[in-house]
PDB file of all heavy atoms in Angstrom:
ATOM      1  N   LEU A  96       7.463  17.433  -4.201  1.00 88.00           N
ATOM      2  CA  LEU A  96       7.585  18.614  -3.352  1.00 88.00           C
ATOM      3  C   LEU A  96       8.552  19.641  -3.942  1.00 88.00           C
ATOM      4  O   LEU A  96       8.306  20.844  -3.872  1.00 88.00           O
ATOM      5  CB  LEU A  96       8.019  18.214  -1.944  1.00 88.00           C
ATOM      6  CG  LEU A  96       6.965  17.491  -1.113  1.00 88.00           C
ATOM      7  CD1 LEU A  96       7.544  17.027   0.205  1.00 88.00           C
ATOM      8  CD2 LEU A  96       5.742  18.359  -0.891  1.00 88.00           C
ATOM      9  N   ASN A  97       9.637  19.162  -4.518  1.00 89.00           N
ATOM     10  CA  ASN A  97      10.576  20.086  -5.164  1.00 89.00           C
ATOM     11  C   ASN A  97       9.922  20.813  -6.328  1.00 89.00           C
ATOM     12  O   ASN A  97      10.104  22.020  -6.506  1.00 89.00           O
ATOM     13  CB  ASN A  97      11.830  19.351  -5.639  1.00 89.00           C
ATOM     14  CG  ASN A  97      12.804  19.081  -4.526  1.00 89.00           C
ATOM     15  OD1 ASN A  97      12.865  19.813  -3.548  1.00 89.00           O
ATOM     16  ND2 ASN A  97      13.568  18.016  -4.662  1.00 89.00           N
ATOM     17  N   GLU A  98       9.179  20.087  -7.133  1.00 87.00           N
ATOM     18  CA  GLU A  98       8.495  20.712  -8.266  1.00 87.00           C
ATOM     19  C   GLU A  98       7.474  21.736  -7.777  1.00 87.00           C
ATOM     20  O   GLU A  98       7.400  22.854  -8.296  1.00 87.00           O
ATOM     21  CB  GLU A  98       7.808  19.650  -9.128  1.00 87.00           C
ATOM     22  CG  GLU A  98       7.156  20.185 -10.367  1.00 87.00           C
ATOM     23  CD  GLU A  98       8.143  20.744 -11.384  1.00 87.00           C
ATOM     24  OE1 GLU A  98       9.327  20.330 -11.379  1.00 87.00           O
ATOM     25  OE2 GLU A  98       7.735  21.601 -12.174  1.00 87.00           O
ATOM     26  N   TYR A  99       6.715  21.356  -6.766  1.00 85.00           N
ATOM     27  CA  TYR A  99       5.716  22.273  -6.210  1.00 85.00           C
ATOM     28  C   TYR A  99       6.371  23.542  -5.680  1.00 85.00           C
ATOM     29  O   TYR A  99       5.931  24.653  -5.969  1.00 85.00           O
ATOM     30  CB  TYR A  99       4.916  21.574  -5.110  1.00 85.00           C
ATOM     31  CG  TYR A  99       3.972  22.507  -4.394  1.00 85.00           C
ATOM     32  CD1 TYR A  99       2.778  22.895  -4.986  1.00 85.00           C
ATOM     33  CD2 TYR A  99       4.282  23.012  -3.129  1.00 85.00           C
ATOM     34  CE1 TYR A  99       1.915  23.759  -4.337  1.00 85.00           C
ATOM     35  CE2 TYR A  99       3.421  23.882  -2.483  1.00 85.00           C
ATOM     36  CZ  TYR A  99       2.240  24.250  -3.090  1.00 85.00           C
ATOM     37  OH  TYR A  99       1.398  25.110  -2.452  1.00 85.00           O
ATOM     38  N   THR A 100       7.411  23.379  -4.900  1.00 87.00           N
ATOM     39  CA  THR A 100       8.053  24.556  -4.319  1.00 87.00           C
ATOM     40  C   THR A 100       8.757  25.401  -5.384  1.00 87.00           C
ATOM     41  O   THR A 100       8.822  26.614  -5.245  1.00 87.00           O
ATOM     42  CB  THR A 100       9.044  24.200  -3.196  1.00 87.00           C
ATOM     43  OG1 THR A 100      10.014  23.285  -3.686  1.00 87.00           O
ATOM     44  CG2 THR A 100       8.316  23.605  -2.010  1.00 87.00           C
ATOM     45  N   SER A 101       9.258  24.770  -6.435  1.00 85.00           N
ATOM     46  CA  SER A 101       9.885  25.569  -7.493  1.00 85.00           C
ATOM     47  C   SER A 101       8.854  26.419  -8.223  1.00 85.00           C
ATOM     48  O   SER A 101       9.146  27.514  -8.674  1.00 85.00           O
ATOM     49  CB  SER A 101      10.646  24.678  -8.471  1.00 85.00           C
ATOM     50  OG  SER A 101       9.760  23.958  -9.295  1.00 85.00           O
ATOM     51  N   ILE A 102       7.650  25.927  -8.302  1.00 85.00           N
ATOM     52  CA  ILE A 102       6.569  26.679  -8.949  1.00 85.00           C
ATOM     53  C   ILE A 102       6.064  27.786  -8.025  1.00 85.00           C
ATOM     54  O   ILE A 102       5.790  28.894  -8.470  1.00 85.00           O
ATOM     55  CB  ILE A 102       5.403  25.740  -9.334  1.00 85.00           C
ATOM     56  CG1 ILE A 102       5.845  24.797 -10.451  1.00 85.00           C
ATOM     57  CG2 ILE A 102       4.173  26.523  -9.742  1.00 85.00           C
ATOM     58  CD1 ILE A 102       4.870  23.666 -10.712  1.00 85.00           C
ATOM     59  N   THR A 103       5.971  27.479  -6.734  1.00 81.00           N
ATOM     60  CA  THR A 103       5.344  28.425  -5.814  1.00 81.00           C
ATOM     61  C   THR A 103       6.305  29.394  -5.147  1.00 81.00           C
ATOM     62  O   THR A 103       5.929  30.501  -4.813  1.00 81.00           O
ATOM     63  CB  THR A 103       4.555  27.685  -4.723  1.00 81.00           C
ATOM     64  OG1 THR A 103       5.450  26.835  -3.995  1.00 81.00           O
ATOM     65  CG2 THR A 103       3.425  26.885  -5.321  1.00 81.00           C
ATOM     66  N   SER A 104       7.571  28.984  -4.932  1.00 74.00           N
ATOM     67  CA  SER A 104       8.425  29.883  -4.159  1.00 74.00           C
ATOM     68  C   SER A 104       9.907  29.822  -4.529  1.00 74.00           C
ATOM     69  O   SER A 104      10.716  30.442  -3.856  1.00 74.00           O
ATOM     70  CB  SER A 104       8.273  29.575  -2.677  1.00 74.00           C
ATOM     71  OG  SER A 104       8.788  28.286  -2.401  1.00 74.00           O
ATOM     72  N   ASN A 105      10.236  29.029  -5.521  1.00 58.00           N
ATOM     73  CA  ASN A 105      11.635  28.882  -5.931  1.00 58.00           C
ATOM     74  C   ASN A 105      12.543  28.360  -4.821  1.00 58.00           C
ATOM     75  O   ASN A 105      13.741  28.581  -4.820  1.00 58.00           O
ATOM     76  CB  ASN A 105      12.206  30.187  -6.505  1.00 58.00           C
ATOM     77  CG  ASN A 105      11.539  30.537  -7.821  1.00 58.00           C
ATOM     78  OD1 ASN A 105      11.234  29.649  -8.607  1.00 58.00           O
ATOM     79  ND2 ASN A 105      11.316  31.804  -8.049  1.00 58.00           N
ATOM     80  N   GLU A 106      11.983  27.667  -3.838  1.00 55.00           N
ATOM     81  CA  GLU A 106      12.762  27.003  -2.808  1.00 55.00           C
ATOM     82  C   GLU A 106      12.798  25.515  -3.139  1.00 55.00           C
ATOM     83  O   GLU A 106      11.956  25.012  -3.865  1.00 55.00           O
ATOM     84  CB  GLU A 106      12.147  27.200  -1.425  1.00 55.00           C
ATOM     85  CG  GLU A 106      12.150  28.642  -0.983  1.00 55.00           C
ATOM     86  CD  GLU A 106      11.457  28.836   0.343  1.00 55.00           C
ATOM     87  OE1 GLU A 106      11.242  27.838   1.060  1.00 55.00           O
ATOM     88  OE2 GLU A 106      11.113  29.975   0.660  1.00 55.00           O
ATOM     89  N   THR A 107      13.751  24.809  -2.591  1.00 56.00           N
ATOM     90  CA  THR A 107      13.892  23.384  -2.858  1.00 56.00           C
ATOM     91  C   THR A 107      13.817  22.608  -1.551  1.00 56.00           C
ATOM     92  O   THR A 107      14.425  22.993  -0.560  1.00 56.00           O
ATOM     93  CB  THR A 107      15.236  23.090  -3.550  1.00 56.00           C
ATOM     94  OG1 THR A 107      15.276  23.829  -4.771  1.00 56.00           O
ATOM     95  CG2 THR A 107      15.403  21.618  -3.852  1.00 56.00           C
TER      96      THR A 107
END
Side-chain angles (χ1 to χ4, degrees):
L96 289 175
N97 281 332
E98 184 66 25
Y99 174 77
T100 56
S101 73
I102 292 169
T103 60
S104 66
N105 293 323
E106 296 176 16
T107 301

